[in-house]
Amino acid sequence: MAVLRPRGDLAGRLRSILTSRGLDPDRPTCPTRGADVDAVIALEAAAARIPALFAEAVTDHPQVLAWVRETVQAARSRADASRGPIVGPGPSLLLAGPTGTGKTHSAYAAIRAVLGAGVRCEFVATTDPDLQAALRPAPGRDPEAVMRRMCRCSLLLLDDLGVGKSSDWTEAVIHRLVNARYERMLPTIYTTNLPTPQLQEAVGERVTSRLAQITERIVLDGPDRRLPTA
């Protein structure tokens, strides 16, 4: 991609957006460094779609940042003149650890960094319980359309994997989704607070086997950040 060039006030807007989100545009590791002004549009779109709680999420976790770099580099390698860099087949993440250790925060920080690099993608974020609810038959709802979107979007965040009561139906739903993205090699960020044995019990051996193959597992630990400190 071209080096960032001022075009009206777009370069200034990009710097302002980056600064407001805790990113230093002059830092060599800034994901938007070297991006063109389309990064402004991507950042503004991301701000509108990311929950307010995570609108300024950033991470310094080296493995998460490595995933961001790999995803961005792959997108830029398949860029063309009409569409620019776009997320396609690539690596996935499994963020694991106890409740409150920053898994969802890190996931949104990674998504923000990818979008902030001027990379185009359709990203969808949901939780395991919300996915299950959206796929249950109801008047005026098309569960298969929901599933198709989850299976085909270029970047998916599936939060709280394995939460809730497990059943043959819930296990089949998760298997369909994970397998579809596994076969397409579409980047996905999964989070779970379950250790591997409990996760396998919740979602099934076939799902955990695929996750082991297609994701880099990152364990976040420490105290629950949501609880007040003494």
Side-chain angles (χ1 to χ4, degrees):
M1 293 183 64
V3 174
L4 177 66
R5 298 184 181 88
R7 189 186 302 166
D9 65 347
L10 285 178
R13 285 169 59 200
L14 175 57
R15 296 184 66 86
S16 176
I17 293 168
L18 288 171
T19 302
S20 71
R21 283 156 177 70
L23 299 173
D24 180 359
D26 297 317
R27 188 177 179 182
T29 56
C30 180
T32 59
R33 191 175 177 87
D36 73 9
V37 292
D38 284 343
V40 176
I41 299 170
L43 272 176
E44 291 177 336
R49 297 166 61 194
I50 290 177
L53 184 62
F54 305 106
E56 299 183 4
V58 294
T59 181
D60 59 1
H61 195 289
Q63 290 171 279
V64 176
L65 293 177
W67 177 85
V68 170
R69 287 192 296 272
E70 186 173 351
T71 301
V72 170
Q73 288 168 3
R76 289 176 176 169
S77 71
R78 63 175 66 92
D80 59 44
S82 63
R83 296 189 303 172
I86 185 166
V87 170
S92 294
L93 290 177
L94 174 61
L95 302 177
T99 299
T101 51
K103 300 181 295 297
T104 305
H105 180 99
S106 295
Y108 276 110
I111 292 170
R112 289 186 63 246
V114 169
L115 293 169
V119 173
R120 300 179 186 278
C121 73
E122 178 197 4
F123 90 85
V124 176
T126 188
T127 67
D128 189 345
D130 285 341
L131 172 66
Q132 308 289 354
L135 292 176
R136 294 188 183 279
R141 179 186 296 164
D142 184 353
E144 284 303 311
V146 175
M147 177 62 84
R148 284 194 299 272
R149 186 181 182 217
M150 299 292 176
C151 290
R152 298 175 183 176
C153 64
S154 53
L155 178 59
L156 174 69
L157 165 58
L158 181 56
D159 206 9
D160 288 330
L161 182 61
V163 168
K165 186 176 181 180
S166 180
S167 68
D168 290 344
W169 183 81
T170 60
E171 187 174 324
V173 162
I174 293 299
H175 179 266
R176 282 188 63 190
L177 176 58
V178 171
N179 188 64
R181 299 190 67 81
Y182 165 83
E183 291 180 345
R184 293 178 172 89
M185 296 182 62
L186 292 174
T188 310
I189 303 176
Y190 303 92
T191 78
T192 183
N193 61 4
L194 299 178
T196 300
Q198 285 92 324
L199 182 62
Q200 181 172 316
E201 183 177 344
V203 300
E205 184 178 355
R206 294 178 298 172
V207 169
T208 53
S209 174
R210 285 163 173 76
L211 291 177
Q213 181 178 351
I214 63 175
T215 67
E216 178 175 6
R217 187 171 184 268
I218 300 173
V219 178
L220 303 179
D221 54 19
D224 188 336
R225 300 180 185 182
R226 300 189 185 101
L227 298 179
T229 56

